Structure formats: C-alpha cells, structure tokens
Amino acid sequence: MKIVPIPAFNDNYIWLIHDDESAVCVDPGDAAPVLAYLEQKQLDLDAVVLTHHHNDHIGGVAALQAAKPDLAVYGPDDIDCVNHALKEGQELNLLGQVWRVWFVPGHTHNHLAYILRIEGKNRLHVFCGDTLFSAGCGRVFSGTMAELEQSLARFAGLPKDTLFYPAHEYTVSNLRFALSVEPNNEAASKALEAASKIPTLPVNLSHEKAVNPFLRLEAPEIIASIAAKNMPHASSSEVFASLRELKNQF
Ligand SMILES: [Zn+2]
C-alpha cells in the first residue's frame, strides 16, 4: 500500500492511497493533478473520501465523477456530490483495508477523519483534513472552539506512532507561531530548521505532542505567554481558545 501526496493549488495535498492497481483519493480539490497521476501510474480510481465541504477539498469531485460515472464518493451528509454519507464509528472497506470514520467537528460543524489500518501492520494512518496541521490546527469556521479542542484531544489519545496526513502544508508558519508562544521549545526549533524540506508530511503523533501548541495546553511557557497578553488561561479550554485567537492574528 502506498500513500502519496499530490500537490494542488498553493499549499494543498490531495492524498492518494493505492496498491499499484486501484486507488482512493482524499479531498480532491482539483481533478487535473489526480487524473494526471492516475494516468501516469495506470491506476484505477475506486473511491473518493471527503473530510468536509470546503471547495479546496471537493472542487475536483465533479470532474472525477465525469471521468468515472460510477465513482463512489464517501463523506459527510452535507455535501451534494457524496453518494455514500458517513457517520461517526462506521467502517469502510476500501482497497481491501479497514478505514474507520471519526466525526471530528470544529473546523467545520460536520468534519470527518479517516483512520486507515493497513492489514498486517499496527500503525494507524489518519487523514485528518483541516482538523490537525503539523504544529497547528484548522481555524474555527462553522464548528466551535470546544469541538475543535475535543477533536484534537481525541487524536492525541491515538498511539504515539500514528501518522497524520493533513490537507495543507502550513508547517513553517505554524512552527513560527509555536515558537512565538513557547520560545524555548527545542523540538519546535529543530523542526523549523528541518521544515525547509517539503513535504514535511505525514507527521507522527509523538512529534506533534512535542511541537504543536494546540496539543501542549499544559506547557508552562505557553500559559505564561498567554497570561502576558492578558488573555484567558485559567483552564485548558481557555488556553486553547486564546491560542487559536492569537494564531488568527499571527
Ligand atoms: Zn477547510
């Protein structure tokens, strides 16, 4: 099983999972680079899985459906082109593998993540859309701050070697923000030095727990940075909301 990032637009990744014959693609915001890759590698597109309704994640679906009219499109039930609507806890069988569906709202009110376990291997692969980015997280659009905090906390409970496949490469600007609230975080400094080589993705959970301020709500230096700006910091939820607000302005 191979997991390949197909770059799209300025900073999107369309993740393509394939077994050298059939492929599944995650969040095809643009069809052209996907069709070109499928053609080049002689792959048959089995299914599309969608995390949420934003156009940079679904904009290519219509053209992929035009190219393959019986294409299975899985995703949340608020997207018109979805022909297999999904809910929390469902399991899909795609490419002969099990994909568990998690409802992870926050960035949008109806956001899914897909947790792939490749047969014979323990490590989990999470296609997390715009929920988690390396060293950061998505903005809160139609979800709530509490939902996003809870969704990230749920990811944080997965095994440490779990690999995350976010839909964007925002790693450098996220690490600059992380260092602005936690200047002495050596892991974040090292990650910033290493981040000139892209893609920086996927990332594993133990790395994220070391560098991602949104998974480090108890870090004294982060809490002190927020206190110094006179922003709410009395609970982890307040720290989370303050961090998200600071990042919006960063
Ligand atoms: Zn989005």
Side-chain angles (χ1 to χ4, degrees), residues 1-24:
M1 201 64 51
K2 292 171 184 151
I3 304 178
V4 188
I6 299 180
F9 309 120
N10 283 332
D11 50 32
N12 281 64
Y13 288 121
I14 300 167
W15 293 101
L16 196 95
I17 303 91
H18 73 87
D19 59 8
D20 291 316
E21 282 181 16
S22 303
V24 169

Side-chain angles (χ1 to χ4, degrees), residues 1-249:
M1 201 64 51
K2 292 171 184 151
I3 304 178
V4 188
I6 299 180
F9 309 120
N10 283 332
D11 50 32
N12 281 64
Y13 288 121
I14 300 167
W15 293 101
L16 196 95
I17 303 91
H18 73 87
D19 59 8
D20 291 316
E21 282 181 16
S22 303
V24 169
C25 96
V26 184
D27 286 353
D30 190 5
V34 176
L35 291 168
Y37 190 90
L38 294 170
E39 171 73 23
Q40 187 201 340
K41 301 282 181 188
Q42 290 294 297
L43 299 169
D44 187 36
L45 185 62
D46 263 11
V48 164
V49 301
L50 302 176
T51 61
H52 67 294
H53 71 270
H54 285 158
N55 203 50
D56 61 325
H57 296 251
I58 69 168
V61 175
L64 293 174
Q65 283 175 314
K68 191 176 176 183
D70 61 343
L71 183 66
V73 181
Y74 297 88
D77 61 10
D78 62 346
I79 303 176
D80 286 344
C81 58
V82 165
N83 51 31
H84 294 80
L86 300 174
K87 293 224 156 55
E88 162 66 31
Q90 271 183 266
E91 274 186 4
L92 306 178
N93 193 302
L94 301 172
L95 304 174
Q97 313 295 329
V98 175
W99 304 56
R100 182 171 279 274
V101 178
W102 274 15
F103 181 58
V104 286
H107 172 66
T108 55
H109 72 283
N110 205 353
H111 192 299
L112 301 178
Y114 297 87
I115 303 182
L116 166 65
R117 186 194 289 274
I118 295 170
E119 200 185 348
K121 309 220 164 124
N122 284 326
R123 178 180 266 201
L124 301 175
H125 303 264
V126 181
F127 301 94
C128 51
D130 287 354
T131 301
L132 176 90
F133 299 129
S134 183
C137 65
R139 263 175 206 259
V140 171
F141 286 109
S142 56
T144 68
M145 208 64 97
E147 284 174 337
L148 186 59
E149 185 192 359
Q150 215 168 42
S151 294
L152 291 177
R154 202 172 166 200
F155 284 156
L158 287 165
K160 279 192 302 191
D161 68 347
T162 299
L163 283 175
F164 286 87
Y165 297 76
H168 294 273
E169 171 81 53
Y170 294 149
T171 311
V172 167
S173 68
N174 283 340
L175 286 166
R176 288 199 179 116
F177 173 71
L179 286 163
S180 78
V181 290
E182 198 180 10
N184 293 305
N185 183 328
E186 273 182 44
S189 298
K190 281 191 186 137
L192 182 58
E193 277 171 40
S196 58
K197 202 175 117 249
I198 60 168
T200 60
L201 309 172
V203 282
N204 71 46
L205 183 57
S206 57
H207 174 79
E208 283 312 298
K209 284 186 170 179
V211 306
N212 192 325
F214 295 92
L215 300 181
R216 298 176 57 75
L217 306 175
E218 314 283 326
E221 197 177 20
I222 292 180
I223 296 170
S225 291
I226 292 168
K229 294 182 193 300
N230 293 315
M231 295 176 81
H233 58 280
S235 64
S236 62
S237 297
E238 287 189 1
V239 171
F240 185 87
S242 295
L243 276 175
R244 192 52 261 180
E245 186 55 37
L246 280 174
K247 178 66 173 69
N248 289 350
Q249 300 158 10

